[in-house]
């Protein structure tokens, strides 16, 4: 008896399964995983890093740098008690470093959300455009001991040397 062979049905349009063009389209891979952030402990400062979206001019351009400095000062003045504070920051060509303090997890979340939204709205208005300003979620690192705090301060305040920029912006 001869072995049986499966016959081909030719080009058949079906639903589901593997086929050309099926599934969710591949997008840019995020640098910061979209997972739940740890709770903020009020006695710890936090180092934040945020990257701009592609296609925007340099954050170091005169107009954008002035805008970022203004927003950083305004966010730090929230309320009389200043629940969310930007301690130090460094503006680079395509990213921004900040060391912040907040009195609780909610204040950290609200402060960062306020900062990110204010910058996005003002940058889009300034450049007469629409769309994303930030390339990804912000990266957060809790500074848990004095040596972490010192290293983070050195990193933020001297980051301009690494990237070839001449200025740094303490408040």
């Amino acid at each position: 008896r001869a072995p049986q062979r499966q016959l081909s049905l030719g080009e058949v349009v079906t639903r589901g399964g593997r086929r050309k063009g099926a599934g969710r389209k591949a997008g840019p891979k995020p640098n910061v995983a979209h997972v739940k952030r740890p709770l903020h402990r009020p006695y710890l400062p936090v180092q934040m890093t945020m990257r701009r979206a592609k296609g925007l001019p340099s954050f170091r351009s005169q107009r954008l740098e002035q805008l970022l400095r203004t927003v950083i000062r305004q966010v730090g003045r929230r309320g009389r008690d200043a629940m969310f504070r930007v301690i130090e920051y460094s503006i680079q060509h395509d990213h921004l470093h900040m060391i912040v303090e907040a009195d609780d997890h909610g204040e950290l979340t609200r402060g960062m959300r306020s900062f990110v939204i204010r910058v996005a709205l003002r940058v889009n208005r300034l450049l007469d455009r629409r769309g994303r300003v930030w390339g990804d979620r912000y990266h957060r690192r809790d500074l848990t001991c004095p040596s972490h705090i010192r290293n983070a301060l050195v990193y933020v305040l001297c980051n301009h040397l690494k990237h070839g920029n001449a200025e740094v912006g303490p408040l």
Side-chain angles (χ1 to χ4, degrees):
R1 198 169 155 183
Q4 293 183 349
R5 288 186 359 191
Q6 183 172 348
L7 300 175
S8 170
L9 297 175
E11 197 72 27
V12 177
V13 177
T14 62
R15 296 182 186 269
R18 273 191 154 158
R19 65 188 189 282
K20 184 177 179 180
R24 186 175 182 166
K25 304 302 176 246
K29 299 251 190 280
N31 292 327
V32 180
H34 199 101
V35 295
K36 185 175 179 180
R37 298 187 192 273
L39 283 179
H40 171 65
R41 292 174 281 179
Y43 52 87
L44 296 179
V46 180
Q47 180 182 356
M48 302 286 189
T49 305
M50 292 160 287
R51 189 166 299 281
R52 71 167 165 79
K54 291 182 180 175
L56 284 176
S58 170
F59 277 169
R60 300 284 300 176
S61 69
Q62 188 174 5
R63 295 186 311 165
L64 288 183
E65 186 171 1
Q66 181 67 35
L67 183 145
L68 286 168
R69 289 178 191 269
T70 302
V71 173
I72 287 171
R73 283 190 202 98
Q74 288 173 349
V75 168
R77 281 194 223 136
R78 253 187 56 198
R80 259 186 100 143
D81 298 330
M83 302 284 196
F84 175 83
R85 297 167 292 280
V86 177
I87 306 304
E88 297 289 348
Y89 66 93
S90 174
I91 301 169
Q92 303 306 322
H93 168 71
D94 64 345
H95 64 283
L96 173 70
H97 295 285
M98 295 192 308
I99 296 179
V100 302
E101 290 179 345
D103 290 343
D104 61 34
H105 182 74
E107 285 300 322
L108 180 68
T109 302
R110 284 188 292 276
M112 285 306 296
R113 188 177 295 153
S114 172
F115 175 77
V116 166
I117 291 170
R118 284 179 192 216
V119 170
L121 290 173
R122 291 179 187 192
V123 165
N124 280 338
R125 189 180 317 133
L126 179 71
L127 300 177
D128 194 30
R129 67 181 289 275
R130 297 176 71 180
R132 294 179 60 140
V133 170
W134 301 106
D136 204 354
R137 301 174 82 209
Y138 62 84
H139 178 263
R140 169 185 157 187
R141 179 172 169 247
D142 292 340
L143 306 174
T144 56
C145 67
S147 61
H148 289 173
I149 295 168
R150 182 202 177 278
N151 292 340
L153 281 169
V154 169
Y155 182 78
V156 169
L157 295 175
C158 296
N159 200 255
H160 67 286
L161 299 172
K162 174 181 170 185
H163 294 286
N165 298 323
E167 298 175 32
V168 66
L171 292 175

